[in-house]
Amino acid sequence: MLFTPYTVKQLALKNRIVMSPMCMYACEDQTGRVNDWHKVHYPTRAVGQVGLIIVEATAVTAQGRISPQDLGIWGDEHVEGLKELARLVHQQGSHIGIQLAHAGRKAVLDGPIVAPSAIPFDEKSKTPDEMTIQQIEETIAAFAAGARRAKAAGFDVIEIHGAHGYLINEFLSPLSNRRTDAYGGDRDKRYRFLKEVIEAVKREWEGPLFVRVSANEYHPEGNHPEDYVYYARLMKEQGVDLIDVSSGGLVPAKHRSRSQATRCPSPSRFAEMPVSPPEPSVSSRSRSTPRRSWRTAAPIWSCSPESSCAIHTGLAPRRRSSEPPWRRRSIIAAAGKSRSLRKGGRAPVPAAGHRRPGSSKRAAAV
């Protein structure tokens, strides 16, 4: 199933391999603009036959960057570089999405940072300013402006980052949202900020819309999968097309289990809910090799045939460039033949019509 086509809204992907958005911290000039490094990194994964490539967390405001080296989409000056990036990925037959993000209290920047409540992430972190209603409205407008620029740049998918302890996740959680106004309190009030972000983005964007969530905060007083099934129903009613399921990141992890380290809650937890995810979902995994990624992806599909698998580390630029593309190696692993590949055996061409560019073994590998 990993290599079968997948359609979300009107977008037809050639397979279910999704490159999950991963922060690269590569904007050395701190302008948030695409540079040559990005123009190599993302199209290289397209050469490796990834079906959908989602660009890293891209800040909708300069204040909302995780670090000064993050990509940005807070100004019209960012559109030109993002448009070139989309063109390069499309040229290799893949589709491209972008993750719109605001770091909230997890921003590591000079100057003030903001959050739903003035609660720092940990004892070493800066205490954020509690957002005023005006700041909330301005941030919602910034997400909408980011969606408008993403459309102008030619992206196929927008993902709203509501996970890993960043601003939207902070509004959703009772651990980080202690507000007593319309944006804090019970689940519906804590959802209001995300609700208004989705509404604002949809006014600018007609294409596939994803939302990433951290479906377990691993804290007894935090949100759990049951809470996110409730939120998922609300998102479905708003017209969200796919929910990208991750976990953790809201509070410091003291004793992380292996399942927490993979970022993906057990799919069986969702299967036991009144709805098993109420719409297509992507489960994000951070395993490093195709063999392991295949093993962790299998139970996701057994839970829901509408799922895809988003791979983290296996698609990050840490592996030797001489290795065969990830998609090719994962076909071997799925067939139980990974040992011959590790010994230097040639990987078969995975699909008719796939042409490896050039003759060098050092050609761009995923």
Side-chain angles (χ1 to χ4, degrees):
M1 183 167 298
L2 182 61
F3 310 108
T4 59
Y6 182 77
T7 300
V8 55
K9 214 164 188 177
Q10 288 82 35
L11 183 68
L13 305 178
K14 60 187 173 184
N15 58 48
R16 299 177 184 230
I17 302 171
V18 180
M19 179 178 175
S20 200
M22 296 171 278
C23 291
M24 293 288 104
Y25 310 111
C27 296
E28 295 181 359
D29 61 3
Q30 302 186 12
T31 64
R33 296 185 185 184
V34 169
N35 59 37
D36 289 346
W37 189 92
H38 301 99
K39 294 175 187 178
V40 173
H41 173 59
Y42 289 106
T44 293
R45 275 69 204 167
V47 171
Q49 299 302 297
V50 173
L52 174 63
I53 295 164
I54 304 181
V55 173
E56 63 203 79
T58 306
V60 297
T61 71
Q63 185 190 44
R65 290 173 291 174
I66 301 167
S67 81
Q69 290 77 35
D70 285 8
L71 273 180
I73 197 168
W74 64 80
D76 292 340
E77 67 273 14
H78 295 115
V79 174
E80 182 179 355
L82 293 168
K83 182 182 293 186
E84 174 67 4
L85 193 60
R87 185 190 69 81
L88 291 169
V89 169
H90 288 151
Q91 195 175 61
Q92 300 303 323
S94 295
H95 288 92
I96 186 168
I98 189 168
Q99 187 183 67
L100 302 183
H102 191 296
R105 70 178 184 176
K106 294 182 79 174
V108 183
L109 303 167
D110 292 333
I113 59 175
V114 297
S117 301
I119 304 171
F121 175 69
D122 59 23
E123 63 276 3
K124 297 180 181 179
S125 299
K126 185 185 297 185
T127 299
D129 295 337
E130 180 172 313
M131 295 176 76
T132 65
I133 296 298
Q134 181 179 346
Q135 287 174 319
I136 289 174
E137 292 172 348
E138 289 172 349
T139 304
I140 293 168
F143 272 96
R148 183 173 64 252
R149 295 184 184 111
K151 181 178 179 179
F155 283 91
D156 304 301
V157 169
I158 284 179
E159 176 170 276
I160 296 170
H161 199 349
H164 302 167
Y166 300 122
L167 185 65
I168 292 174
N169 194 179
E170 292 162 18
F171 269 96
L172 291 172
S173 176
L175 299 175
S176 48
N177 185 347
R178 305 287 175 82
R179 302 179 70 94
T180 57
D181 60 9
Y183 291 93
D186 61 24
R187 283 194 302 196
D188 290 316
K189 289 183 177 180
R190 297 198 308 272
Y191 180 76
R192 179 174 175 175
F193 180 72
L194 175 55
K195 177 183 178 181
E196 294 182 359
V197 167
I198 293 171
E199 290 172 347
V201 167
K202 284 181 70 66
R203 285 194 290 270
E204 302 288 345
W205 177 258
E206 302 83 27
L209 180 62
F210 299 1
V211 176
R212 171 171 274 192
V213 299
S214 282
N216 199 333
E217 293 168 4
Y218 304 108
H219 189 287
E221 297 176 9
N223 286 323
H224 300 282
E226 294 83 355
D227 298 294
Y228 276 95
V229 168
Y230 178 80
Y231 288 142
R233 289 194 181 106
L234 299 180
M235 285 184 262
K236 184 177 182 181
E237 290 172 2
Q238 286 191 265
V240 170
D241 299 294
L242 185 144
I243 297 174
D244 182 353
V245 182
S246 188
S247 70
L250 182 81
V251 293
K254 296 181 180 179
H255 304 288
R256 296 188 70 178
S257 67
R258 187 173 180 178
S259 63
Q260 286 175 262
T262 64
R263 289 269 190 205
C264 181
S266 169
S268 62
R269 295 296 302 274
F270 289 95
E272 295 167 3
M273 304 293 173
V275 288
S276 170
E279 53 196 288
S281 64
V282 169
S283 291
S284 298
R285 292 285 183 170
S286 50
R287 302 289 186 164
S288 61
T289 67
R291 193 176 188 185
R292 290 178 178 176
S293 297
W294 177 269
R295 288 175 178 174
T296 55
I300 299 169
W301 294 312
S302 66
C303 168
S304 171
E306 296 303 317
S307 296
S308 297
C309 185
I311 309 299
H312 290 249
T313 313
L315 297 179
R318 299 175 184 173
R319 305 192 62 78
R320 298 192 302 275
S321 61
S322 60
E323 292 190 8
W326 186 92
R327 178 177 183 267
R328 198 177 286 188
R329 287 184 285 123
S330 59
I331 291 174
I332 303 296
K337 299 177 182 177
S338 56
R339 180 174 297 178
S340 65
L341 184 61
R342 290 199 302 272
K343 289 182 178 180
R346 290 181 61 84
V349 175
H354 174 71
R355 181 179 64 84
R356 186 177 184 182
S359 58
S360 172
K361 291 182 179 179
R362 303 180 70 82
V366 174

